[in-house]
Amino acid sequence: MSQEKAKLTIGGETYEFDILTGSVGPAVIDIRSLYAKTGMFTYDPGFTSTAACDSTITYIDGDKGELLYRGYSIDQLAQDSHYLEVCFLLLYGHLPSKKELTDFTNRITNHTMLHEQMHYLYRGFRRDAHPMAIVCGVVGAMAAFYHDSTDITDPEQREVASVRMIAKIPTIAANAYKYSIGQPFVYPRNDLSYAGNFLHMCFSVPTENYEVNPIIERAMDRIFTLHADHEQNASTSTVRLSGSSDANPFACIAAGVACLWGPAHGGANEAALNMLREIGTPDRIPEFVARAKDKNDPFRLMGFGHRVYKSYDPRAQVMQDTAKEVLDLLGVENNPTLQVARALEKVALEDEYFVSRKLYPNVDFYSGIILDAIGFPTSMFTAIFSLARTVGWISQWKEMIADPQKKIGRPRQLYQGEVRRDYVLLENR
Ligand code: SDX
């Protein structure tokens, strides 16, 4: 806590509030006593200036374009680590020893199958259902199959639910893809890596052998790492708010999936690729940039801008490099979509409208190009984002549940509606 106090003067009376400081980043004014002292609320729709919790998991410096998972920078982790090690780091706060990593990997690997009866859930959906609708429904239904890990007061059950969630989300997402294309589900294999298993469950068919391409496997794993966690974003805040009511972990993750689906959030990767395809060629970029700047046009450059990053999203840089690597490997020379993306980025970053608003490419701008090159339909992009973000949601949920200060989240409002008035009988209206 800082020695200095924050002072607020209202109606000639001055109120003091503690200033709390973290290990790095902005300090906070502790306003928990504000309403009791002043009878007033703060007003912050969209939470642009609100810290909703303490956390030790992920730190973002939006001005520097820095992203740290438990203190380790995203570019180093994307380069030198791999997703399951990042999962361990996010969950337990330290890089695992060899034995810890082996044990954790085995635990995850041995929980990748779904309860066989869960396969019937998929048959209730239309074949053309969006994979995110399926993933959201099946994740929520996990509470009906894994009821023995829903007691949130039991640390062991919280641990089991966490492992099950991380282990099974690739199988759930892959099944949603297979169901949408009318192919049989493919069971996970314990001899494959986490990313390799996902590729296998998505792209192998019973009629022939499927070999995981190691470069694609590495790119997939890196995409998972880049999306693993991101502080108190909308979907993570949804998971926390859901968890604050002591809802079971599967219900909380399903809520996070639902929130991430929005095109302003995780749905932007699907929208960004669709936008790049609609632009089609670099000569149409000015038309779309003009629309993005037009206040009367709801169109925005998808994959651009960020609430926190007011500089280049560090994940977008790694994603751009990975896109080139994958496209080169696949021999997709001069991929038109990548060409449009690079040209659009150049135009936007030289345009006063974007520069003055500090709008840069975010994680969603290039990811779709890689996923498209690997062979995923755009409808699977956000399901893959959900898959990767599950460890972040679960880590943040566990941190909140274990927090002795945990309280149910219950924001207030500035009421602008009718004041009290008497009911008028129908015959008198
Ligand atoms: C993710 O929070 C996270 O960490 C999320 C995420 C994660 O990992 O969890 O990083 C993942 O969701 C990334 C963001 C993906 N969404 C998009 O790419 C959709 C397009 N971008 C936006 O809609 C927007 O930039 C947001 C939603 C991302 C951020 O919105 P903010 O912070 O509320 O900013 P704003 O809407 O108030 O915009 C500020 C100004 C406005 O103009 P003015 O009113 O000042 O004139 O910038 C403009 C906006 O109109 N603006 C854009 C724009 N983004 C903002 N104009 C055109 N195109 C855009 N993309």
Side-chain angles (χ1 to χ4, degrees):
M1 187 185 316
S2 163
Q3 295 308 310
E4 187 186 4
K5 298 283 185 186
K7 292 184 173 61
L8 185 60
T9 299
I10 303 171
E13 183 147 4
T14 299
Y15 305 91
E16 287 197 350
F17 301 93
D18 291 334
I19 294 175
L20 310 178
T21 51
S23 45
V24 65
V28 299
I29 301 169
D30 183 350
I31 56 159
R32 283 174 288 186
S33 61
L34 177 77
Y35 180 56
K37 285 180 178 173
T38 69
M40 289 188 179
F41 301 137
T42 59
Y43 183 68
D44 187 15
F47 308 123
T48 54
S49 303
T50 294
C53 63
D54 296 83
S55 182
T56 61
I57 299 174
T58 293
Y59 175 71
I60 303 171
D61 183 321
D63 295 326
K64 287 181 7 190
E66 183 176 55
L67 168 58
L68 307 178
Y69 289 166
R70 300 287 191 177
Y72 297 97
S73 69
I74 193 64
D75 47 312
Q76 287 184 10
L77 291 169
Q79 180 62 40
D80 300 326
S81 184
H82 60 84
Y83 183 68
L84 278 190
E85 182 175 76
V86 167
C87 288
F88 184 99
L89 175 65
L90 289 170
L91 283 167
Y92 306 114
H94 67 275
L95 289 174
S97 65
K98 278 200 180 113
K99 181 178 181 325
E100 285 173 324
L101 184 57
T102 302
D103 293 348
F104 180 71
T105 301
N106 289 338
R107 283 194 81 192
I108 297 294
T109 302
N110 287 288
H111 282 82
T112 49
M113 282 209 318
L114 302 185
H115 185 294
E116 190 66 9
Q117 206 157 316
M118 288 181 76
H119 289 171
Y120 297 114
L121 289 171
Y122 291 82
R123 304 221 177 322
F125 294 98
R126 286 171 40 144
R127 286 283 179 178
D128 61 354
H130 194 289
M132 280 296 279
I134 299 176
V135 170
C136 194
V138 175
V139 168
M142 286 177 76
F145 291 88
Y146 303 108
H147 196 75
D148 61 343
S149 61
T150 54
D151 176 356
I152 59 109
T153 62
D154 177 351
E156 181 49 31
Q157 289 198 31
R158 297 204 297 265
E159 182 65 19
V160 170
S162 304
V163 169
R164 279 172 164 162
M165 205 56 255
I166 294 164
K168 298 179 192 301
I169 190 70
T171 313
I172 290 170
N175 286 355
Y177 171 56
K178 284 303 205 184
Y179 185 72
S180 72
I181 58 175
Q183 288 188 359
F185 297 155
V186 175
Y187 287 96
R189 276 177 34 189
N190 291 355
D191 62 323
L192 295 176
S193 72
Y194 191 88
N197 215 357
F198 179 63
L199 292 167
H200 153 71
M201 291 188 285
C202 287
F203 297 125
S204 73
V205 288
T207 51
E208 55 194 44
N209 282 332
Y210 174 79
E211 286 297 318
V212 176
N213 177 316
I215 301 285
I216 304 293
E217 180 182 24
R218 180 74 189 123
M220 194 80 254
D221 186 274
R222 189 178 291 164
I223 287 173
F224 290 163
T225 291
L226 293 173
H227 287 86
D229 193 47
H230 212 239
E231 201 214 64
Q232 305 310 319
N233 59 83
S235 53
T236 298
S237 299
T238 301
V239 170
R240 279 182 172 262
L241 195 55
S242 306
S244 75
S245 73
D246 294 345
N248 75 73
F250 306 115
C252 297
I253 301 303
V257 172
C259 177
L260 188 77
W261 193 2
H265 189 12
N269 53 17
E270 175 177 358
L273 193 77
N274 291 336
M275 174 191 74
L276 292 170
R277 282 188 176 140
E278 187 185 355
I279 294 172
T281 56
D283 60 340
R284 291 195 64 200
I285 286 174
E287 169 197 337
F288 283 81
V289 167
R291 284 187 57 197
K293 292 156 66 172
D294 179 357
K295 288 301 166 207
N296 299 317
D297 188 331
F299 173 79
R300 287 192 163 187
L301 287 191
M302 301 315 282
F304 253 79
H306 200 277
R307 170 63 59 74
V308 177
Y309 289 124
K310 300 309 171 191
S311 60
Y312 214 96
D313 183 333
R315 302 168 296 176
Q317 190 55 60
V318 179
M319 207 68 87
Q320 185 183 161
D321 299 341
T322 305
K324 177 145 184 7
E325 188 182 315
V326 169
L327 292 170
D328 287 351
L329 164 94
L330 295 174
V332 185
E333 299 302 326
N334 307 320
N335 176 288
T337 314
L338 182 59
Q339 278 187 333
V340 169
R342 283 185 164 149
L344 175 59
E345 176 186 338
K346 186 172 183 315
V347 167
L349 297 189
E350 291 167 359
D351 183 300
E352 186 279 335
Y353 174 92
F354 297 93
V355 172
S356 63
R357 292 168 176 80
K358 298 182 178 179
L359 302 175
Y360 291 84
N362 59 49
V363 68
D364 294 310
F365 190 63
Y366 286 103
S367 56
I369 293 169
I370 306 171
L371 296 174
D372 174 58
I374 292 174
F376 291 105
T378 52
S379 61
M380 272 298 289
F381 291 5
T382 311
I384 290 167
F385 193 153
S386 301
L387 186 171
R389 183 53 58 87
T390 292
V391 66
W393 289 330
I394 276 288
S395 301
Q396 300 266 354
W397 170 79
K398 283 180 76 177
E399 181 179 66
M400 177 197 67
I401 296 292
D403 182 349
Q405 289 193 83
K406 169 179 162 301
K407 292 175 75 68
I408 189 166
R410 206 294 187 199
R412 300 303 300 275
Q413 64 181 9
L414 174 63
Y415 179 66
Q416 305 271 28
E418 296 287 346
V419 295
R420 186 183 183 84
R421 53 183 172 168
D422 292 332
Y423 180 77
V424 179
L425 295 173
L426 185 56
E427 57 263 31
N428 300 331
R429 284 178 221 157

